[in-house]
Amino acid sequence: MSSVPSPGLAHLLSHAERRMGLRMAVVLAEEDCSVEQWRVLSVIADGKGHPMTEIADQVLMPAPSLTKLVDRMVADNLVYRRPDRADRRRVLLHLTARGRTLHQRAAHRLLTDQTRLLDAIDDHGDLVRLLARLTAALDQEPAEAPTEEPVEKILPVS
C-alpha cells in the first residue's frame, strides 16, 4: 500500500478544471478564440443582451478585466454594447453576426471534443449531473469550521 495520501476533492476538481481549460484553449485556438472570449460569447449567445455585472459573475472574471476583454471583442467586431431599453443607464452586451458565427463554430468544436472525452471515460451524463448538484450544494451551504478531524472520502481513480 502506498504511503502517499490520496488527493482531496478540492485538489481533484482544481486539477480537472485546469486540464479542461488547457484542452479547451487548444480547441478554441483553432477558431482564434480564447477561453475567456468563449465564456463571454456563450453567456450572451441567447440574444437577450446581458449587463456586464451579470456576465462578470457568470464568466468568473473581475469587472475591470472583463471590461478590457469586451473592449477588445468590440474592436474585433464580435460583440456590441447597446443601452437597455428598460433602463437607459444600463448597457447590455450583444453578439454581432461575426460573433454568432464564431460562437456556433467554436460550440461545435467543443461539443465534439467533450463528447469524445466523456466517451473515453464511459460517462452517460453522470459527471455533469453530479457536478451541477455539487455546485448547487456549495452555493447553498456555507462552509463551517470542522469540529473534529475531517474524514476523507475519496473514490479510487481508474
Side-chain angles (χ1 to χ4, degrees):
M1 181 163 212
S2 171
S3 64
V4 177
S6 56
L9 177 62
H11 176 80
L12 289 170
L13 288 172
S14 295
H15 186 73
E17 189 277 332
R18 184 167 296 155
R19 297 292 299 267
M20 190 68 190
L22 292 171
R23 186 180 181 109
M24 287 176 63
V26 169
V27 171
L28 290 169
E30 296 172 20
E31 293 294 339
D32 197 26
C33 181
S34 70
V35 173
E36 293 78 14
Q37 286 176 319
W38 164 251
R39 289 179 178 151
V40 171
L41 294 173
S42 294
V43 170
I44 65 174
D46 62 8
K48 296 178 183 178
H50 296 269
M52 294 289 281
T53 52
E54 177 188 321
I55 296 167
D57 286 343
Q58 290 191 33
V59 302
L60 309 173
M61 285 182 82
S65 299
L66 177 63
T67 299
K68 289 176 187 172
L69 174 65
V70 168
D71 287 347
R72 289 191 305 271
M73 293 175 75
V74 167
D76 291 340
N77 192 28
L78 298 174
V79 299
Y80 65 94
R81 296 175 174 104
R82 170 109 353 122
D84 185 347
R85 290 182 181 161
D87 180 355
R88 308 257 329 143
R89 296 170 295 177
R90 279 185 0 156
V91 175
L92 304 180
L93 196 64
H94 298 269
L95 286 179
T96 63
R98 184 169 186 242
R100 183 160 310 286
T101 299
L102 173 59
H103 178 262
Q104 290 169 345
R105 284 193 326 254
H108 176 73
R109 284 184 186 273
L110 285 172
L111 180 61
T112 299
D113 183 67
Q114 290 177 13
T115 299
R116 196 175 314 128
L117 178 61
L118 292 173
D119 286 347
I121 64 169
D122 198 29
D123 181 78
H124 303 287
D126 297 328
L127 180 60
V128 171
R129 225 177 356 267
L130 288 171
L131 287 172
R133 285 177 54 197
L134 176 62
T135 301
L138 289 168
D139 286 344
Q140 292 181 6
E141 299 240 355
E144 294 180 16
T147 55
E148 55 187 66
E149 280 296 310
V151 177
E152 194 172 301
K153 295 180 182 178
I154 300 296
L155 297 176
V157 179
S158 49

